[in-house]
Amino acid sequence: MIDLHCHSTASDGALAPAEVAALAAANGCRLLALTDHDCTDGLKQARAAAEVHGIRFISGVEISATWRERTVHIVGLDFDEADAPLQTLLAQIRRGRTERLHRIAEKLAQKGIHGAAEGALSLAANPEMVSRTHLAEWLVRQGHARNPHQAFAKYLGEGKAAAVAHRWADFAEAVAAINRAGGIAVLAHPMRYKFSATARRNLLQEFKNAGGQALEVNSGNCRPNERIDCALLADRFGLLASSGSDFHRIGGYSGGVLGISPELPPACRPVWAHFKVPFQAA
C-alpha cells in the first residue's frame, strides 16, 4: 500500500492536501508522497494529516521539464522542501504556467471562445498552479466539450486548435535541483509519452546521465504489460523502481486508486528502500 505520486488542490487535484492523506489512509496506504505539479505548498498540511492517520509521509513534487522540445515530468522524492534553489526553480515554472494560460486563452478567443483565462483561474484553488486541466473543466462547464478528454482532443492537446508550444524547466536542471536538495529524481509515467522505443531509451539514458535515479514502474492505471516493460527498462538503465497512482480526483478520467499500487515485478529495486530513512514494504 504505497503511493509516491498523487495530487491535491495545491496544483490540479480535487481534494485538499489533508483530504488526500485521509483518503489514502482509508484505502490502506502506509507510505505516501504528495507530488503536486511544480509546487510544495500542500506538503505541510498533508504531512500533518498523514501523521494523524499513522501514514509514513515523504516530501514530493512533480516538475514540468522540457526534453528535446517535448514535455516530460520528473518527480522529486525525499528532498529538503526548504531548499532555496529548488524553490526558485519551481517559482519560475509557475510563472510560466500563467503566461501559457493567457496564450491559450488568446487562441480560444480567436475561435470565438472568450473568458477562458478568467474561467480557468476561477476553478484553480491555487491561481499560480492554473493548468490545462482547469481550462478543460471550464470548457466542459461552458458547453464547448462533453468531457475533459474531448476538451483536450479538440482544443488543448498537442497540435490542436488552442495548443501552444511552451518551454518548461531544462530537463537536466530539474534533475540537478532535486539532487542538490537531497532528493531522488524519478522519471514519471514513461509509457504515457508518445515517444518511439528509441526515443524513450534515449530519454532514459540522458536522465541517467543527468543524475536521475529512479523510474515509475507502476504509474496510474497502466496496463500489466506496460509495467513489465518499465521494469525491464529500469533494470537495463540501472534505475530504482517507484510506484504511484497519479491520483487527481475520485472518478477522474486518469490516474489510479489513491494509496494503492500493484506489487513491483520481482527484479525491481524499490526506491523506498533508498530513502534517508528506508521503508520496508513488508
Side-chain angles (χ1 to χ4, degrees):
M1 297 299 184
I2 290 170
D3 196 339
L4 300 176
H5 185 164
C6 61
H7 300 273
S8 75
T9 51
S11 62
D12 59 346
L15 301 180
E19 294 174 320
V20 170
L23 180 57
N27 289 341
C29 185
R30 295 176 53 217
L31 176 65
L32 179 70
L34 181 66
T35 58
D36 278 310
H37 293 284
D38 309 317
C39 174
T40 60
D41 289 357
L43 295 185
K44 182 177 180 180
Q45 185 186 139
R47 178 179 289 106
E51 289 176 358
V52 169
H53 293 286
I55 300 176
R56 169 87 181 274
F57 187 82
I58 296 294
S59 58
V61 69
E62 185 174 12
I63 300 180
S64 307
T66 298
W67 176 77
R68 298 190 182 184
E69 308 305 320
R70 303 289 295 274
T71 299
V72 297
H73 291 165
I74 301 170
V75 165
L77 297 173
D78 200 24
F79 55 86
D80 175 10
E81 59 216 66
D83 182 77
L86 175 62
Q87 291 299 336
T88 296
L89 176 65
L90 296 178
Q92 291 171 350
I93 299 170
R94 293 196 297 272
R95 287 194 292 272
R97 282 184 172 275
T98 303
E99 294 167 3
R100 181 182 67 160
L101 168 69
H102 290 288
R103 291 165 61 204
I104 293 174
E106 288 173 3
K107 284 202 167 188
L108 287 170
Q110 292 170 6
K111 298 294 181 182
I113 300 174
H114 299 278
E118 295 79 7
L121 285 167
S122 72
L123 298 175
N126 180 354
E128 281 192 321
M129 292 306 304
V130 66
S131 69
R132 292 186 303 168
T133 301
H134 298 113
L135 280 164
E137 184 179 348
W138 181 82
L139 287 167
V140 171
R141 293 189 181 196
Q142 296 298 309
H144 299 295
R146 291 190 301 273
N147 52 52
H149 179 78
Q150 188 188 54
F152 275 89
K154 188 175 181 180
Y155 298 108
L156 305 175
E158 186 176 344
K160 304 305 178 181
V164 298
H166 184 74
R167 283 199 65 84
W168 299 102
D170 177 76
F171 175 75
E173 183 183 6
V175 173
I178 294 167
N179 289 341
R180 282 196 305 267
I184 295 175
V186 184
L187 183 66
H189 41 66
M191 295 302 176
R192 196 176 302 172
Y193 310 121
K194 296 179 180 179
F195 294 163
S196 67
T198 299
R200 188 174 291 112
R201 289 192 296 270
N202 290 339
L203 168 64
L204 285 166
Q205 186 61 65
E206 291 185 29
F207 176 70
K208 175 78 172 182
N209 293 345
Q213 296 166 268
L215 181 70
E216 272 189 359
V217 171
N218 294 326
S219 177
N221 49 12
C222 66
R223 297 185 294 272
N225 62 306
E226 292 177 328
R227 192 174 301 124
I228 296 300
D229 288 344
C230 286
L232 292 172
L233 287 169
D235 181 65
R236 174 174 179 172
F237 289 94
L239 297 169
L240 303 171
S242 189
S243 292
S245 66
D246 200 8
F247 172 86
H248 286 73
R249 55 189 39 80
I250 298 172
Y253 66 94
S254 68
V257 178
L258 177 65
I260 298 174
S261 294
E263 288 189 18
L264 290 172
C268 290
R269 297 179 298 131
V271 67
W272 48 86
H274 295 262
F275 290 156
K276 296 180 185 69
V277 179
F279 178 82
Q280 297 297 325

